[in-house]
Amino acid sequence: QKEVEQNSGPLSVPEGAIASLNCTYSDRGSQSFFWYRQYSGKSPELIMFIYSNGDKEDGRFTAQLNKASQYVSLLIRDSQPSDSATYLCASVWGNTPLVFGKGTRLSVIA
Amino acid sequence: ETGVTQSPTHLIKTRGQQVTLRCSSQSGHNTVSWYQQALGQGPQFIFQYYREEENGRGNFPPRFSGLQFPNYSSELNVNALELDDSALYLCASSLAGQEETQYFGPGTRLLVL
């Protein structure tokens, strides 16, 4: 049973701080990892994906992957109130469907 | 804007009824997946279609069925609705050759009374 675990939160950070969102996965065969942002009442929006160990940066977002520890994280620098949302982590192996965690709710306090 | 559209946006049905949800994706997005997202949960995979054939199925009963059409549109049909079917239903499509990267439509919120 492939599982992706996330702390449901809420994670509260002050505006301008770094938000750190974490995710662990059970299937060592998982190859690709995705972070989606979901505003309340809306559908998930793809933020980033990462395939290789290490860091991948895109603007204020950095995804980090450690396959040995089966751990994925998303850092959001200079957090803004507009970043307040639920962040979903998902893993996939080849053409298998995305396996999602339950999401972490982030609240950025102005 | 992902180019994936869904209809209707909201729907109310009663237990035992049948429902059809629709999705339309961009040209070249020949893989479509359907997910069910209950409140407070992550999306759960229902099934996937590739070139009009079912290409994988999650842990959902046969009363959940689907179709994909040549014009990159697809349908999710649910028979004999149950109260627990109340959820956000999401359609996601992906480009040929990049099937693991999926882009979601806005979803259809279904309420079963």
Side-chain angles (χ1 to χ4, degrees), chain B:
Chain B
E1 194 64 45
T2 63
V4 182
T5 60
Q6 290 187 245
S7 63
T9 56
H10 296 82
L11 201 53
I12 300 175
K13 291 285 189 178
T14 56
R15 193 171 48 183
Q17 284 189 310
Q18 177 267 342
V19 68
T20 297
L21 310 181
R22 294 180 173 84
C23 170
S24 180
S25 52
Q26 293 180 345
S27 174
H29 285 223
N30 57 7
T31 300
V32 64
S33 302
W34 285 89
Y35 293 82
Q36 179 196 66
Q37 186 176 23
L39 203 60
Q41 303 293 314
Q44 298 293 311
F45 174 71
I46 303 175
F47 45 59
Q48 181 182 82
Y49 278 80
Y50 174 71
R51 292 187 176 180
E52 302 161 51
E53 293 195 2
E54 189 176 293
N55 187 38
R57 189 177 183 91
N59 189 26
F60 280 82
R63 59 189 185 84
F64 286 78
S65 63
L67 287 171
Q68 186 185 26
F69 303 100
N71 64 352
Y72 303 104
S73 66
S74 65
E75 290 181 354
L76 164 65
N77 298 288
V78 187
N79 294 322
L81 283 167
E82 301 177 359
L83 298 180
D84 285 349
D85 295 334
S86 296
L88 180 66
Y89 287 86
L90 297 160
C91 160
S93 71
S94 53
L95 285 167
Q98 299 179 27
E99 283 79 9
E100 71 276 8
T101 305
Q102 299 186 22
Y103 299 92
F104 285 89
T108 294
R109 188 162 298 282
L110 172 64
L111 177 61
V112 182
L113 300 176

Side-chain angles (χ1 to χ4, degrees), chain A residues 2-3 11 17 25 33 36-37 42 44 55 59 63 65 72 77 92 98-99 102:
Chain A
K2 298 179 174 65
E3 290 185 347
L11 172 68
Y25 59 96
F33 303 87
Y36 286 83
R37 177 175 63 198
K42 302 295 185 182
D55 295 359
L65 174 59
V72 190
R77 289 181 299 282
V92 70
L98 290 169
V99 177
K102 293 184 178 181

Side-chain angles (χ1 to χ4, degrees), chain A residues 6 21 35-47 61 74 76 81-89 100-107, chain B residues 6 35-44 87-91 104-109:
Chain A
Q6 295 181 259
L21 302 156
W35 283 99
Y36 286 83
R37 177 175 63 198
Q38 187 172 27
Y39 292 113
S40 181
K42 302 295 185 182
S43 65
E45 171 194 7
L46 180 63
I47 300 174
F61 298 98
L74 179 70
I76 306 175
S82 59
D83 294 326
S84 297
T86 295
Y87 289 79
L88 297 162
C89 172
F100 283 89
K102 293 184 178 181
T104 298
R105 190 156 52 94
L106 172 67
S107 179
Chain B
Q6 290 187 245
Y35 293 82
Q36 179 196 66
Q37 186 176 23
L39 203 60
Q41 303 293 314
Q44 298 293 311
L88 180 66
Y89 287 86
L90 297 160
C91 160
F104 285 89
T108 294
R109 188 162 298 282

Side-chain angles (χ1 to χ4, degrees), chain A residues 13-62:
Chain A
V13 299
E15 183 175 358
I18 296 175
S20 178
L21 302 156
N22 305 314
C23 168
T24 58
Y25 59 96
S26 62
D27 181 15
R28 285 196 172 273
S30 295
Q31 296 177 321
S32 307
F33 303 87
F34 299 81
W35 283 99
Y36 286 83
R37 177 175 63 198
Q38 187 172 27
Y39 292 113
S40 181
K42 302 295 185 182
S43 65
E45 171 194 7
L46 180 63
I47 300 174
M48 292 190 69
F49 54 86
I50 185 167
Y51 306 137
S52 303
N53 272 327
D55 295 359
K56 180 181 178 183
E57 188 174 316
D58 184 0
R60 295 187 297 113
F61 298 98
T62 298

